[in-house]
């Protein structure tokens, strides 16, 4: 018997709380498969095509099980949508009451102690920062949750938030004088008491890596763990299992130490000098890397005397500050906390400099005024399998893109999943009639000079036929910038370019305009939902293979080759296939949507591996003739 049918049937529970509810066999079957996996305590990989309604398909069996459930989503935006939009609908459908909680990482919650410290800082603030801190102070007096997304006149990306939120390094924990009113502790307590907790992958992985004390107490009690947008998990997990040290962390340590120095240690001039010396050396190391913003292999550090010497000097200065803080740490909790941070950062730096295990990929990245040093594990499969084993829970992994040509091996091997039930459900949309896959003849090879300029000539008639209403997706910022300059003079439709405004504003403008052309890179390939005629065309400049010059990818491919694997077929190709599936998935988002998918890369048909891409996208009608594109948008056209 299908225990989920009463919820998803045409006259079922959901039809009573959702206007114009349309039952979908794929949604019902997915919900039943998840219900059975939960009941049996099994693990399930569940791929569901666009339009299946997978959120309700996992929420209803999870809540119906009456077990304690943790749901992890890909981003904070998806987390908010699930908690604030989807869950209230489900609560109307259930007669049984249940407690739910939303939990974010500590950087999303106001820290009252650090806010007061910043307001009373001896250094003062520039005009903009002072205004922002005053707004935060005003908001702090009435907020109930302390979630920084509540305050609209100080954007959550504003650097000033570093002075009004805590990190694992600078949090005073239970010894904080404001612990009783701590918003983070209140959110964690609420999560402890809830039967359904909504987190995101970053927080899940932070807990896994024990970077966030306290949250780890949630997981042992959880009986069901649902990973939505599961295709993102492996990369996020790799980053969290790594070790990194940034210039900003060192600057923050210096700033906080100086704040404590002026309050309680002005009779220790050597502590002040150690802070100045470290700050100076951080700047010297940034200068040693050069002016270019880039990611580079660690070998560059080892073979460049200027960088390697600056790095060793930085290590010495950090060690000297730690020594001075050890002497001062007995005076106050604030100074003790700074000492512990200095010790931790020194250990991280030593680990980065001296690693020769072969287990890690080491690399650096430069930013405008800072840098990051990182080492990332080559493989997380063993660690993740052990993490799963510790939880004693039923794990559900779901996304629209987990398989490559109907094969789940790439996803499951990346996370060490060996005993899962794998199932997939096709999208309920009629792609054959709702969409057209256009791959023009005569395309240039991506390595040809002026490739982007050439493909724009192929794209322009399609943009014209679609009357704008286009996402033009690129695999690099360089190509996007070239296209932006050309299209600015060549099209009459509103042109929106990633990087000129916040992503949310660009999307809102795109939807409102109704005839815009939006140029985007990776962040627009997934997690973007534009329904209706405003988006009727998706153009992809080339097959989304990651740049082989990236130091992290290069090290990973070399390691796979040394293990006897073919890195192209084992890693590069499946990663690109899933990225293309995500990009193509922007097109048809509703049962009434219609649109064109155009892929400009000739390797789609000229390389044997191109068939894997074709086998992985929805079963659209296909053409190589632009007249068919024109006829698609204008059925009465003479070109039929």
């Amino acid at each position: 018997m299908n225990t989920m049918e009463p919820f998803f049937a045409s006259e079922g529970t959901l039809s009573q709380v959702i206007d114009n509810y349309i039952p979908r066999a794929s949604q019902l079957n997915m919900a039943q498969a998840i219900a059975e996996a939960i009941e049996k305590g099994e693990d399930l990989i569940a791929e569901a095509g666009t339009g299946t309604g997978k959120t309700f398909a996992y929420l209803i069996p999870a809540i119906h099980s009456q077990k304690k459930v943790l749901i992890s989503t890909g981003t904070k935006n998806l987390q908010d949508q699930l908690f604030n939009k989807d869950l209230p609908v489900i609560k109307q459908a259930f007669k049984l009451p249940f407690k739910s909680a939303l939990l974010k990482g500590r950087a999303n919650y106001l820290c009252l102690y650090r806010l007061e410290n910043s307001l009373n800082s001896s250094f003062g603030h520039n005009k903009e920062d002072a205004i922002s801190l005053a707004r935060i102070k005003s908001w702090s007096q009435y907020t109930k949750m302390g979630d920084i997304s509540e305050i609209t006149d100080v954007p959550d990306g504003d650097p000033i938030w570093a002075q009004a939120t805590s990190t694992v390094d600078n949090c005073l924990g239970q010894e904080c004088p404001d612990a009783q009113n701590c918003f983070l502790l209140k959110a964690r307590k609420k999560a402890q008491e809830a039967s359904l907790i909504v987190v995101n992958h970053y927080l899940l992985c932070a807990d896994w890596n024990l970077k966030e004390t306290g949250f780890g107490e949630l997981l042992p009690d959880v009986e069901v763990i649902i990973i939505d947008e599961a295709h993102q998990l492996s990369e996020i997990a790799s980053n969290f299992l790594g070790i990194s040290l940034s210039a900003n962390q060192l600057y923050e340590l210096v700033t906080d130490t100086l704040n404590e120095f002026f309050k309680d240690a002005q009779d220790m001039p050597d502590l002040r000098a150690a802070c100045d010396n470290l700050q100076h050396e951080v700047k010297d190391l940034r200068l040693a890397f050069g002016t270019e913003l880039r990611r580079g292999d660690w070998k560059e550090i080892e073979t460049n005397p200027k960088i390697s010497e600056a790095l060793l000097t930085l290590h010495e200065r950090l060690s000297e500050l730690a020594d001075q803080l050890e002497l001062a740490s007995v005076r106050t909790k604030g100074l003790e906390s700074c000492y512990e941070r200095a010790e931790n950062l020194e250990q991280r730096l030593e680990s980065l400099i001296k690693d020769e295990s072969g287990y890690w990929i080491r690399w650096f990245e430069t930013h405008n005024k800072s840098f990051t040093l990182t080492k990332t594990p080559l493989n997380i499969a063993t660690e993740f399998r052990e993490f799963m084993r510790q939880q004693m829970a039923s794990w559900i992994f779901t996304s629209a893109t987990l398989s490559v040509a109907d094969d789940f091996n790439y996803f499951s091997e990346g996370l060490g999943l060996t005993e899962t039930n794998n199932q997939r459900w096709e999208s309920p949309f009629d792609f054959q009639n709702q969409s057209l896959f256009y791959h023009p003849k005569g395309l240039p090879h991506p390595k040809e000079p002026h490739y982007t300029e050439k493909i724009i000539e192929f794209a322009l008639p399609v943009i014209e036929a679609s009357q704008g209403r286009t996402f033009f997706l690129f695999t690099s910022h360089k190509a996007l910038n070239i296209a932006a300059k050309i299209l600015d003079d060549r099209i009459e439709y509103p042109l929106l370019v990633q990087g000129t405004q916040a992503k949310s504003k660009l999307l809102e403008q795109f939807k409102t305009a109704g005839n815009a052309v939006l140029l985007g890179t990776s962040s627009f390939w997934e997690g973007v939902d534009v329904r209706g005629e405003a988006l009727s065309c998706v153009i992809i400049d080339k097959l989304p293979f990651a740049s082989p010059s990236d130091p992290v990818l290069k090290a990973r491919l070399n390691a796979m080759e040394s293990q006897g694997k073919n890195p192209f077929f084992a890693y590069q190709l499946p990663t690109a296939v899933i990225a293309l599936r995500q990009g193509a998935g922007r097109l048809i988002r509703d049962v009434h949507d219609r649109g064109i998918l155009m892929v400009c890369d000739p390797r789609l048909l000229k390389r044997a591996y191109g068939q894997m891409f074709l086998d992985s996208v929805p079963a659209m009608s296909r053409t190589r003739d632009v007249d068919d594109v024109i006829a698609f948008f204008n059925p009465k056209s003479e070109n039929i």
Side-chain angles (χ1 to χ4, degrees), residues 591-627:
V591 70
H592 301 296
D593 283 358
R594 295 179 78 249
I596 295 284
L597 172 65
M598 177 181 179
V599 179
C600 300
D601 194 324
R603 293 174 294 180
L604 198 62
L605 295 179
K606 292 188 175 180
R607 295 286 186 272
Y609 60 72
Q611 191 62 43
M612 192 171 286
F613 288 95
L614 293 171
D615 289 343
S616 297
V617 296
M620 303 174 172
S621 299
R622 296 176 184 174
T623 186
R624 306 202 70 193
D625 190 338
V626 73
D627 287 344

Side-chain angles (χ1 to χ4, degrees), residues 411-426:
F411 173 75
S412 56
E413 288 175 5
L415 293 175
L417 309 177
T418 54
E419 298 176 3
T420 53
N421 176 17
N422 305 337
Q423 294 193 50
R424 65 188 301 267
W425 295 271
E426 296 290 349

Side-chain angles (χ1 to χ4, degrees), residues 293-341:
L293 305 184
R294 63 200 173 98
R295 285 185 8 150
D297 192 288
W298 198 268
K299 286 180 182 175
E300 246 186 273
I301 294 176
E302 295 175 328
T303 56
N304 185 320
K306 189 176 179 182
I307 301 175
S308 57
E309 286 170 17
L311 183 61
L312 290 174
T313 306
L314 176 73
H315 189 206
E316 290 172 12
R317 298 294 174 263
L318 180 56
S319 179
E320 288 167 6
L321 177 57
D323 289 343
Q324 290 301 318
L325 279 166
E326 184 177 14
L327 297 173
S329 63
V330 294
R331 296 192 174 193
T332 66
K333 180 59 186 173
L335 284 164
E336 183 186 346
S337 174
C338 287
Y339 166 58
E340 289 170 356
R341 284 166 63 189

Side-chain angles (χ1 to χ4, degrees), residues 155 477 480-481 494-513 516-521 523-524:
H477 289 280
L480 179 145
N481 292 331
L495 185 65
L496 305 173
V497 183
Q498 179 182 328
T500 58
Q501 295 181 70
K503 180 180 175 181
S504 58
K505 288 186 178 178
L506 286 174
L507 277 174
E508 194 55 44
Q509 287 181 20
F510 182 86
K511 292 174 184 177
T512 303
V517 176
L518 187 149
L519 311 185
T521 57
S523 64
F524 281 91

Side-chain angles (χ1 to χ4, degrees), residues 541-562:
D541 74 329
K542 65 173 74 169
L543 298 178
F545 289 106
S547 170
S549 62
D550 179 81
V552 180
L553 177 61
K554 192 187 296 184
R556 181 165 278 123
L557 300 184
N558 289 340
M560 294 178 85
E561 199 167 344
S562 68

